[in-house]
Amino acid sequence: VDEKGRKMSKSLGNGIDPLDVIKQMGADILRLWVASADYRKDIAVSPGILKQMTEAYRKIRNTCRFILGNLSDFDWERHRVPYQEMSELDRFALLRLHKLIKRVLDAYREYEFHTVYHSIHNFCAVDMSALYLDICKDRLYVLAPNAKARRATQTVLYEVINALVRLLTPILAFTTEEIWQYIPKPDDAPVSVQLTSMPEFNPDYLDDELEQKWSKLLDLRGEVSKALEEA
């Protein structure tokens, strides 16, 4: 149906040709729209809905691009920081990542593709862009290259991009192939992301106490930000 809920038909002239969408926006936008639709209801498509998809796609792509841009001098074997030596913020980011992995893997198993889309988009927009990446820019740009705090952030980013690229592969087939080529990896790594396995959920990263503490801090941060904006 179109965005007004009217069934697509030749007489109404409200049909959309998938090949036109691919020509104008690329196949991954079409694939993302398909994944975002809850197929238990009428499926709506229109130029406006596809434009929203383009914005969502751009958010996911730009998050991955930012991460890749900050891993150019990172070697997993030499530079990674053990979980126990990370700051609370880094550990909270890994907690959010592994909750995402569990939610997305469960959704794939249940054919809940719209849950996959919404979960990953929300993670990129909120957990990464609005929170972790926003706070860690200073660490990445200002600290000495080998400073522990900077390497800890890069360790988190490396885990994030390796999980995201695999979780997105069934949907964004072309984009993830492109991302895979730019991830720093060992010489014996698969040549294509299509030859990798899905990321594994690690329950060791879940920490209820840490989650409650940071949830309160983020609520407080929201209130402070609002007051600053009004001032």
Side-chain angles (χ1 to χ4, degrees), residues 158-211:
Y158 188 85
E159 289 211 33
V160 167
I161 195 67
N162 269 283
L164 279 181
V165 76
R166 289 168 164 89
L167 293 174
L168 284 164
T169 294
I171 298 171
L172 300 183
F174 301 99
T175 304
T176 50
E177 198 59 64
E178 186 184 355
I179 291 168
W180 183 252
Q181 304 311 316
Y182 290 96
I183 296 176
K185 47 195 176 293
D187 296 336
D188 60 352
V191 292
S192 166
V193 71
Q194 298 284 346
L195 300 171
T196 63
S197 305
M198 279 287 173
E200 288 183 15
F201 166 65
N202 184 350
D204 293 347
Y205 286 151
L206 301 189
D207 181 336
D208 289 341
E209 205 178 304
L210 181 74
E211 188 170 24

Tab-separated table of all heavy atoms in Angstrom, residues 158-211:
chain	number	residue	atom	x	y	z
A	158	TYR	N	36.651	-1.540	17.635
A	158	TYR	CA	36.998	-2.716	16.820
A	158	TYR	C	35.955	-3.825	17.026
A	158	TYR	O	35.513	-4.460	16.074
A	158	TYR	CB	38.396	-3.212	17.197
A	158	TYR	CG	38.928	-4.290	16.287
A	158	TYR	CD1	39.575	-3.962	15.101
A	158	TYR	CD2	38.785	-5.634	16.603
A	158	TYR	CE1	40.068	-4.949	14.245
A	158	TYR	CE2	39.269	-6.632	15.759
A	158	TYR	CZ	39.914	-6.274	14.589
A	158	TYR	OH	40.391	-7.259	13.751
A	159	GLU	N	35.583	-4.028	18.286
A	159	GLU	CA	34.551	-5.042	18.575
A	159	GLU	C	33.200	-4.634	17.964
A	159	GLU	O	32.466	-5.468	17.438
A	159	GLU	CB	34.417	-5.257	20.088
A	159	GLU	CG	35.618	-5.976	20.692
A	159	GLU	CD	35.230	-6.824	21.899
A	159	GLU	OE1	34.115	-7.362	21.930
A	159	GLU	OE2	36.072	-6.930	22.806
A	160	VAL	N	32.886	-3.346	18.075
A	160	VAL	CA	31.604	-2.849	17.549
A	160	VAL	C	31.520	-3.042	16.036
A	160	VAL	O	30.539	-3.584	15.521
A	160	VAL	CB	31.386	-1.357	17.915
A	160	VAL	CG1	30.228	-0.758	17.119
A	160	VAL	CG2	31.123	-1.208	19.408
A	161	ILE	N	32.545	-2.607	15.298
A	161	ILE	CA	32.480	-2.671	13.833
A	161	ILE	C	32.475	-4.124	13.358
A	161	ILE	O	31.779	-4.480	12.400
A	161	ILE	CB	33.617	-1.858	13.158
A	161	ILE	CG1	33.338	-1.630	11.664
A	161	ILE	CG2	34.978	-2.503	13.320
A	161	ILE	CD1	32.177	-0.737	11.373
A	162	ASN	N	33.219	-4.993	14.039
A	162	ASN	CA	33.237	-6.404	13.648
A	162	ASN	C	31.889	-7.081	13.889
A	162	ASN	O	31.500	-7.984	13.148
A	162	ASN	CB	34.349	-7.149	14.379
A	162	ASN	CG	35.647	-7.129	13.590
A	162	ASN	OD1	35.802	-7.863	12.628
A	162	ASN	ND2	36.569	-6.259	13.983
A	163	ALA	N	31.185	-6.652	14.932
A	163	ALA	CA	29.838	-7.194	15.194
A	163	ALA	C	28.829	-6.604	14.213
A	163	ALA	O	28.045	-7.337	13.591
A	163	ALA	CB	29.423	-6.902	16.628
A	164	LEU	N	28.847	-5.286	14.056
A	164	LEU	CA	27.863	-4.624	13.179
A	164	LEU	C	27.939	-5.142	11.743
A	164	LEU	O	26.919	-5.402	11.112
A	164	LEU	CB	28.084	-3.104	13.176
A	164	LEU	CG	27.514	-2.290	14.340
A	164	LEU	CD1	27.826	-0.814	14.136
A	164	LEU	CD2	26.002	-2.494	14.483
A	165	VAL	N	29.157	-5.266	11.220
A	165	VAL	CA	29.305	-5.656	9.813
A	165	VAL	C	28.720	-7.052	9.574
A	165	VAL	O	28.107	-7.316	8.538
A	165	VAL	CB	30.789	-5.565	9.363
A	165	VAL	CG1	31.636	-6.717	9.881
A	165	VAL	CG2	30.892	-5.493	7.846
A	166	ARG	N	28.847	-7.935	10.562
A	166	ARG	CA	28.294	-9.282	10.407
A	166	ARG	C	26.768	-9.290	10.596
A	166	ARG	O	26.042	-9.962	9.861
A	166	ARG	CB	28.936	-10.231	11.428
A	166	ARG	CG	30.396	-10.566	11.139
A	166	ARG	CD	31.003	-11.262	12.351
A	166	ARG	NE	32.244	-11.951	12.063
A	166	ARG	CZ	33.445	-11.394	12.134
A	166	ARG	NH1	33.554	-10.111	12.481
A	166	ARG	NH2	34.532	-12.095	11.869
A	167	LEU	N	26.297	-8.540	11.593
A	167	LEU	CA	24.844	-8.497	11.846
A	167	LEU	C	24.090	-7.902	10.662
A	167	LEU	O	22.944	-8.270	10.391
A	167	LEU	CB	24.556	-7.679	13.113
A	167	LEU	CG	25.033	-8.262	14.453
A	167	LEU	CD1	24.806	-7.251	15.572
A	167	LEU	CD2	24.343	-9.584	14.771
A	168	LEU	N	24.731	-6.988	9.956
A	168	LEU	CA	24.064	-6.297	8.842
A	168	LEU	C	24.203	-7.018	7.510
A	168	LEU	O	23.502	-6.694	6.550
A	168	LEU	CB	24.636	-4.880	8.698
A	168	LEU	CG	24.169	-3.843	9.726
A	168	LEU	CD1	25.085	-2.630	9.701
A	168	LEU	CD2	22.729	-3.418	9.445
A	169	THR	N	25.104	-8.000	7.425
A	169	THR	CA	25.399	-8.638	6.132
A	169	THR	C	24.167	-9.202	5.424
A	169	THR	O	24.023	-9.001	4.214
A	169	THR	CB	26.481	-9.722	6.302
A	169	THR	OG1	27.694	-9.072	6.674
A	169	THR	CG2	26.721	-10.488	5.022
A	170	PRO	N	23.224	-9.882	6.110
A	170	PRO	CA	22.061	-10.399	5.377
A	170	PRO	C	21.190	-9.301	4.758
A	170	PRO	O	20.449	-9.560	3.813
A	170	PRO	CB	21.281	-11.165	6.458
A	170	PRO	CG	22.289	-11.486	7.505
A	170	PRO	CD	23.224	-10.322	7.520
A	171	ILE	N	21.274	-8.094	5.303
A	171	ILE	CA	20.415	-7.001	4.825
A	171	ILE	C	21.185	-6.051	3.903
A	171	ILE	O	20.814	-5.852	2.755
A	171	ILE	CB	19.806	-6.223	6.017
A	171	ILE	CG1	18.922	-7.164	6.848
A	171	ILE	CG2	18.991	-5.034	5.523
A	171	ILE	CD1	18.439	-6.579	8.153
A	172	LEU	N	22.269	-5.472	4.402
A	172	LEU	CA	23.048	-4.514	3.599
A	172	LEU	C	24.224	-5.248	2.950
A	172	LEU	O	25.384	-5.045	3.302
A	172	LEU	CB	23.541	-3.350	4.471
A	172	LEU	CG	22.451	-2.521	5.160
A	172	LEU	CD1	23.076	-1.364	5.932
A	172	LEU	CD2	21.438	-1.976	4.149
A	173	ALA	N	23.909	-6.109	1.978
A	173	ALA	CA	24.915	-7.003	1.401
A	173	ALA	C	26.075	-6.244	0.746
A	173	ALA	O	27.234	-6.643	0.879
A	173	ALA	CB	24.248	-7.923	0.379
A	174	PHE	N	25.768	-5.159	0.061
A	174	PHE	CA	26.818	-4.444	-0.674
A	174	PHE	C	27.633	-3.533	0.248
A	174	PHE	O	28.852	-3.477	0.169
A	174	PHE	CB	26.186	-3.635	-1.819
A	174	PHE	CG	25.427	-4.500	-2.785
A	174	PHE	CD1	24.045	-4.613	-2.691
A	174	PHE	CD2	26.083	-5.225	-3.757
A	174	PHE	CE1	23.338	-5.430	-3.563
A	174	PHE	CE2	25.383	-6.053	-4.636
A	174	PHE	CZ	24.002	-6.150	-4.534
A	175	THR	N	26.925	-2.838	1.132
A	175	THR	CA	27.603	-1.909	2.053
A	175	THR	C	28.550	-2.661	2.992
A	175	THR	O	29.667	-2.219	3.242
A	175	THR	CB	26.554	-1.133	2.884
A	175	THR	OG1	25.669	-0.466	1.993
A	175	THR	CG2	27.219	-0.102	3.786
A	176	THR	N	28.098	-3.809	3.522
A	176	THR	CA	28.947	-4.547	4.465
A	176	THR	C	30.182	-5.115	3.770
A	176	THR	O	31.252	-5.202	4.376
A	176	THR	CB	28.163	-5.690	5.144
A	176	THR	OG1	27.494	-6.471	4.153
A	176	THR	CG2	27.145	-5.149	6.129
A	177	GLU	N	30.049	-5.474	2.493
A	177	GLU	CA	31.218	-5.955	1.740
A	177	GLU	C	32.254	-4.849	1.636
A	177	GLU	O	33.461	-5.069	1.791
A	177	GLU	CB	30.774	-6.420	0.353
A	177	GLU	CG	31.772	-7.310	-0.348
A	177	GLU	CD	32.088	-8.575	0.447
A	177	GLU	OE1	31.193	-9.412	0.660
A	177	GLU	OE2	33.240	-8.713	0.868
A	178	GLU	N	31.752	-3.633	1.397
A	178	GLU	CA	32.648	-2.468	1.304
A	178	GLU	C	33.314	-2.194	2.654
A	178	GLU	O	34.522	-1.974	2.734
A	178	GLU	CB	31.829	-1.247	0.851
A	178	GLU	CG	32.657	-0.019	0.570
A	178	GLU	CD	31.798	1.192	0.219
A	178	GLU	OE1	30.559	1.073	0.106
A	178	GLU	OE2	32.399	2.279	0.087
A	179	ILE	N	32.524	-2.216	3.733
A	179	ILE	CA	33.067	-1.978	5.087
A	179	ILE	C	34.139	-3.015	5.412
A	179	ILE	O	35.207	-2.682	5.933
A	179	ILE	CB	31.937	-2.027	6.136
A	179	ILE	CG1	30.988	-0.832	5.984
A	179	ILE	CG2	32.505	-2.055	7.567
A	179	ILE	CD1	29.690	-0.958	6.781
A	180	TRP	N	33.858	-4.270	5.083
A	180	TRP	CA	34.781	-5.373	5.409
A	180	TRP	C	36.176	-5.141	4.828
A	180	TRP	O	37.189	-5.464	5.453
A	180	TRP	CB	34.197	-6.693	4.893
A	180	TRP	CG	35.026	-7.892	5.223
A	180	TRP	CD1	35.788	-8.644	4.364
A	180	TRP	CD2	35.196	-8.495	6.520
A	180	TRP	NE1	36.409	-9.666	5.034
A	180	TRP	CE2	36.064	-9.597	6.363
A	180	TRP	CE3	34.694	-8.204	7.787
A	180	TRP	CZ2	36.447	-10.417	7.432
A	180	TRP	CZ3	35.071	-9.009	8.854
A	180	TRP	CH2	35.936	-10.093	8.671
A	181	GLN	N	36.218	-4.556	3.637
A	181	GLN	CA	37.522	-4.330	2.987
A	181	GLN	C	38.384	-3.333	3.763
A	181	GLN	O	39.608	-3.345	3.638
A	181	GLN	CB	37.320	-3.817	1.547
A	181	GLN	CG	36.470	-4.715	0.654
A	181	GLN	CD	36.875	-6.170	0.679
A	181	GLN	OE1	38.063	-6.503	0.619
A	181	GLN	NE2	35.899	-7.068	0.790
A	182	TYR	N	37.757	-2.483	4.580
A	182	TYR	CA	38.506	-1.430	5.277
A	182	TYR	C	38.782	-1.733	6.754
A	182	TYR	O	39.463	-0.970	7.424
A	182	TYR	CB	37.762	-0.092	5.165
A	182	TYR	CG	37.787	0.477	3.770
A	182	TYR	CD1	36.723	0.261	2.892
A	182	TYR	CD2	38.884	1.210	3.308
A	182	TYR	CE1	36.741	0.757	1.596
A	182	TYR	CE2	38.922	1.712	2.015
A	182	TYR	CZ	37.843	1.481	1.160
A	182	TYR	OH	37.883	1.968	-0.125
A	183	ILE	N	38.244	-2.825	7.270
A	183	ILE	CA	38.504	-3.169	8.680
A	183	ILE	C	39.916	-3.730	8.795
A	183	ILE	O	40.274	-4.643	8.043
A	183	ILE	CB	37.479	-4.211	9.202
A	183	ILE	CG1	36.069	-3.625	9.210
A	183	ILE	CG2	37.846	-4.698	10.594
A	183	ILE	CD1	34.982	-4.613	9.623
A	184	PRO	N	40.745	-3.194	9.736
A	184	PRO	CA	42.078	-3.773	9.920
A	184	PRO	C	41.920	-5.219	10.413
A	184	PRO	O	41.224	-5.465	11.388
A	184	PRO	CB	42.720	-2.899	11.014
A	184	PRO	CG	41.812	-1.732	11.195
A	184	PRO	CD	40.473	-2.118	10.696
A	185	LYS	N	42.542	-6.163	9.710
A	185	LYS	CA	42.365	-7.565	10.112
A	185	LYS	C	43.610	-8.377	9.749
A	185	LYS	O	44.412	-7.954	8.918
A	185	LYS	CB	41.107	-8.163	9.488
A	185	LYS	CG	40.920	-7.914	8.015
A	185	LYS	CD	39.495	-8.233	7.607
A	185	LYS	CE	39.231	-7.903	6.155
A	185	LYS	NZ	39.264	-6.486	5.837
A	186	PRO	N	43.764	-9.548	10.353
A	186	PRO	CA	44.937	-10.372	10.056
A	186	PRO	C	44.946	-10.864	8.610
A	186	PRO	O	43.902	-10.874	7.940
A	186	PRO	CB	44.804	-11.552	11.035
A	186	PRO	CG	43.389	-11.543	11.487
A	186	PRO	CD	42.900	-10.140	11.384
A	187	ASP	N	46.114	-11.269	8.136
A	187	ASP	CA	46.273	-11.698	6.734
A	187	ASP	C	45.406	-12.902	6.374
A	187	ASP	O	45.008	-13.066	5.223
A	187	ASP	CB	47.753	-12.037	6.440
A	187	ASP	CG	48.632	-10.798	6.581
A	187	ASP	OD1	48.095	-9.678	6.435
A	187	ASP	OD2	49.838	-10.942	6.868
A	188	ASP	N	45.127	-13.751	7.380
A	188	ASP	CA	44.365	-14.961	7.073
A	188	ASP	C	42.843	-14.771	7.230
A	188	ASP	O	42.084	-15.736	7.209
A	188	ASP	CB	44.827	-16.132	7.951
A	188	ASP	CG	44.648	-15.840	9.445
A	188	ASP	OD1	44.312	-14.678	9.793
A	188	ASP	OD2	44.849	-16.761	10.266
A	189	ALA	N	42.401	-13.530	7.371
A	189	ALA	CA	40.960	-13.253	7.504
A	189	ALA	C	40.248	-13.583	6.193
A	189	ALA	O	40.842	-13.487	5.114
A	189	ALA	CB	40.740	-11.787	7.862
A	190	PRO	N	38.970	-13.981	6.252
A	190	PRO	CA	38.229	-14.278	5.014
A	190	PRO	C	38.232	-13.079	4.065
A	190	PRO	O	38.206	-11.930	4.502
A	190	PRO	CB	36.808	-14.566	5.516
A	190	PRO	CG	36.971	-14.966	6.942
A	190	PRO	CD	38.139	-14.195	7.456
A	191	VAL	N	38.253	-13.358	2.765
A	191	VAL	CA	38.303	-12.263	1.787
A	191	VAL	C	36.979	-11.519	1.708
A	191	VAL	O	36.930	-10.369	1.292
A	191	VAL	CB	38.686	-12.780	0.368
A	191	VAL	CG1	40.114	-13.256	0.343
A	191	VAL	CG2	37.731	-13.873	-0.088
A	192	SER	N	35.893	-12.190	2.091
A	192	SER	CA	34.563	-11.564	2.025
A	192	SER	C	33.855	-11.712	3.363
A	192	SER	O	34.001	-12.728	4.045
A	192	SER	CB	33.722	-12.231	0.931
A	192	SER	OG	32.360	-11.872	1.055
A	193	VAL	N	33.050	-10.702	3.698
A	193	VAL	CA	32.265	-10.768	4.938
A	193	VAL	C	31.238	-11.906	4.844
A	193	VAL	O	30.799	-12.446	5.858
A	193	VAL	CB	31.589	-9.410	5.228
A	193	VAL	CG1	30.458	-9.124	4.249
A	193	VAL	CG2	31.080	-9.351	6.664
A	194	GLN	N	30.873	-12.297	3.618
A	194	GLN	CA	29.914	-13.388	3.432
A	194	GLN	C	30.478	-14.733	3.915
A	194	GLN	O	29.732	-15.697	4.082
A	194	GLN	CB	29.530	-13.513	1.950
A	194	GLN	CG	28.835	-12.292	1.375
A	194	GLN	CD	27.380	-12.167	1.793
A	194	GLN	OE1	26.790	-13.099	2.301
A	194	GLN	NE2	26.798	-10.993	1.584
A	195	LEU	N	31.788	-14.797	4.115
A	195	LEU	CA	32.425	-16.047	4.558
A	195	LEU	C	32.657	-16.080	6.064
A	195	LEU	O	33.298	-16.993	6.581
A	195	LEU	CB	33.767	-16.236	3.822
A	195	LEU	CG	33.672	-16.321	2.299
A	195	LEU	CD1	35.049	-16.295	1.667
A	195	LEU	CD2	32.917	-17.569	1.877
A	196	THR	N	32.147	-15.070	6.772
A	196	THR	CA	32.335	-15.027	8.232
A	196	THR	C	31.089	-15.566	8.939
A	196	THR	O	30.049	-15.756	8.317
A	196	THR	CB	32.574	-13.582	8.717
A	196	THR	OG1	31.402	-12.797	8.434
A	196	THR	CG2	33.776	-12.944	8.019
A	197	SER	N	31.222	-15.785	10.239
A	197	SER	CA	30.083	-16.235	11.053
A	197	SER	C	29.456	-15.032	11.744
A	197	SER	O	30.074	-13.971	11.845
A	197	SER	CB	30.557	-17.219	12.122
A	197	SER	OG	31.255	-18.275	11.524
A	198	MET	N	28.255	-15.208	12.267
A	198	MET	CA	27.630	-14.152	13.066
A	198	MET	C	28.425	-13.961	14.364
A	198	MET	O	29.059	-14.913	14.852
A	198	MET	CB	26.191	-14.548	13.399
A	198	MET	CG	25.221	-14.277	12.275
A	198	MET	SD	24.900	-12.513	12.113
A	198	MET	CE	23.911	-12.496	10.613
A	199	PRO	N	28.412	-12.746	14.937
A	199	PRO	CA	29.110	-12.539	16.213
A	199	PRO	C	28.444	-13.353	17.312
A	199	PRO	O	27.248	-13.674	17.214
A	199	PRO	CB	28.947	-11.041	16.468
A	199	PRO	CG	27.737	-10.645	15.691
A	199	PRO	CD	27.702	-11.538	14.494
A	200	GLU	N	29.200	-13.691	18.331
A	200	GLU	CA	28.638	-14.475	19.436
A	200	GLU	C	28.357	-13.575	20.627
A	200	GLU	O	29.155	-12.706	20.961
A	200	GLU	CB	29.606	-15.599	19.831
A	200	GLU	CG	29.660	-16.704	18.781
A	200	GLU	CD	30.570	-17.846	19.203
A	200	GLU	OE1	30.918	-17.916	20.399
A	200	GLU	OE2	30.919	-18.659	18.327
A	201	PHE	N	27.228	-13.806	21.248
A	201	PHE	CA	26.851	-13.076	22.456
A	201	PHE	C	27.729	-13.545	23.620
A	201	PHE	O	27.898	-14.738	23.833
A	201	PHE	CB	25.366	-13.331	22.746
A	201	PHE	CG	24.925	-12.925	24.132
A	201	PHE	CD1	24.937	-11.598	24.519
A	201	PHE	CD2	24.493	-13.887	25.047
A	201	PHE	CE1	24.532	-11.220	25.792
A	201	PHE	CE2	24.080	-13.527	26.315
A	201	PHE	CZ	24.102	-12.184	26.688
A	202	ASN	N	28.312	-12.580	24.349
A	202	ASN	CA	29.173	-12.911	25.488
A	202	ASN	C	28.510	-12.403	26.779
A	202	ASN	O	28.537	-11.210	27.058
A	202	ASN	CB	30.550	-12.273	25.311
A	202	ASN	CG	31.522	-12.670	26.419
A	202	ASN	OD1	31.123	-13.272	27.419
A	202	ASN	ND2	32.788	-12.341	26.255
A	203	PRO	N	27.925	-13.312	27.583
A	203	PRO	CA	27.230	-12.872	28.809
A	203	PRO	C	28.174	-12.256	29.848
A	203	PRO	O	27.718	-11.553	30.746
A	203	PRO	CB	26.600	-14.171	29.346
A	203	PRO	CG	27.367	-15.275	28.716
A	203	PRO	CD	27.863	-14.769	27.402
A	204	ASP	N	29.480	-12.478	29.691
A	204	ASP	CA	30.451	-11.898	30.646
A	204	ASP	C	30.443	-10.374	30.608
A	204	ASP	O	30.878	-9.716	31.552
A	204	ASP	CB	31.878	-12.393	30.345
A	204	ASP	CG	32.029	-13.891	30.620
A	204	ASP	OD1	31.119	-14.453	31.268
A	204	ASP	OD2	33.023	-14.479	30.177
A	205	TYR	N	29.978	-9.814	29.488
A	205	TYR	CA	29.946	-8.354	29.354
A	205	TYR	C	28.722	-7.731	30.030
A	205	TYR	O	28.605	-6.518	30.109
A	205	TYR	CB	29.974	-7.938	27.879
A	205	TYR	CG	31.322	-8.092	27.204
A	205	TYR	CD1	31.433	-8.342	25.840
A	205	TYR	CD2	32.505	-7.966	27.936
A	205	TYR	CE1	32.667	-8.476	25.211
A	205	TYR	CE2	33.734	-8.092	27.327
A	205	TYR	CZ	33.816	-8.350	25.962
A	205	TYR	OH	35.034	-8.470	25.354
A	206	LEU	N	27.797	-8.549	30.467
A	206	LEU	CA	26.599	-8.014	31.127
A	206	LEU	C	26.895	-7.777	32.604
A	206	LEU	O	27.404	-8.648	33.291
A	206	LEU	CB	25.417	-8.975	30.973
A	206	LEU	CG	24.994	-9.309	29.535
A	206	LEU	CD1	23.689	-10.075	29.549
A	206	LEU	CD2	24.854	-8.060	28.673
A	207	ASP	N	26.583	-6.584	33.062
A	207	ASP	CA	26.873	-6.190	34.449
A	207	ASP	C	25.702	-5.330	34.927
A	207	ASP	O	25.601	-4.156	34.576
A	207	ASP	CB	28.201	-5.414	34.480
A	207	ASP	CG	28.615	-4.964	35.879
A	207	ASP	OD1	27.736	-4.821	36.752
A	207	ASP	OD2	29.815	-4.743	36.087
A	208	ASP	N	24.799	-5.929	35.697
A	208	ASP	CA	23.572	-5.228	36.120
A	208	ASP	C	23.862	-3.955	36.897
A	208	ASP	O	23.228	-2.918	36.687
A	208	ASP	CB	22.697	-6.157	36.977
A	208	ASP	CG	22.069	-7.258	36.136
A	208	ASP	OD1	22.016	-7.076	34.901
A	208	ASP	OD2	21.657	-8.283	36.690
A	209	GLU	N	24.850	-4.050	37.792
A	209	GLU	CA	25.192	-2.888	38.632
A	209	GLU	C	25.674	-1.725	37.764
A	209	GLU	O	25.253	-0.576	37.931
A	209	GLU	CB	26.308	-3.307	39.612
A	209	GLU	CG	26.332	-2.463	40.892
A	209	GLU	CD	27.427	-2.952	41.846
A	209	GLU	OE1	27.427	-4.144	42.210
A	209	GLU	OE2	28.274	-2.121	42.178
A	210	LEU	N	26.565	-2.043	36.817
A	210	LEU	CA	27.097	-1.023	35.902
A	210	LEU	C	25.969	-0.423	35.062
A	210	LEU	O	25.895	0.792	34.882
A	210	LEU	CB	28.148	-1.662	34.986
A	210	LEU	CG	28.824	-0.727	33.972
A	210	LEU	CD1	29.821	0.190	34.667
A	210	LEU	CD2	29.530	-1.528	32.888
A	211	GLU	N	25.080	-1.282	34.596
A	211	GLU	CA	23.978	-0.816	33.744
A	211	GLU	C	23.052	0.135	34.503
A	211	GLU	O	22.670	1.188	33.990
A	211	GLU	CB	23.184	-2.006	33.210
A	211	GLU	CG	22.158	-1.596	32.181
A	211	GLU	CD	21.527	-2.775	31.470
A	211	GLU	OE1	21.523	-3.887	32.031
A	211	GLU	OE2	21.026	-2.575	30.353
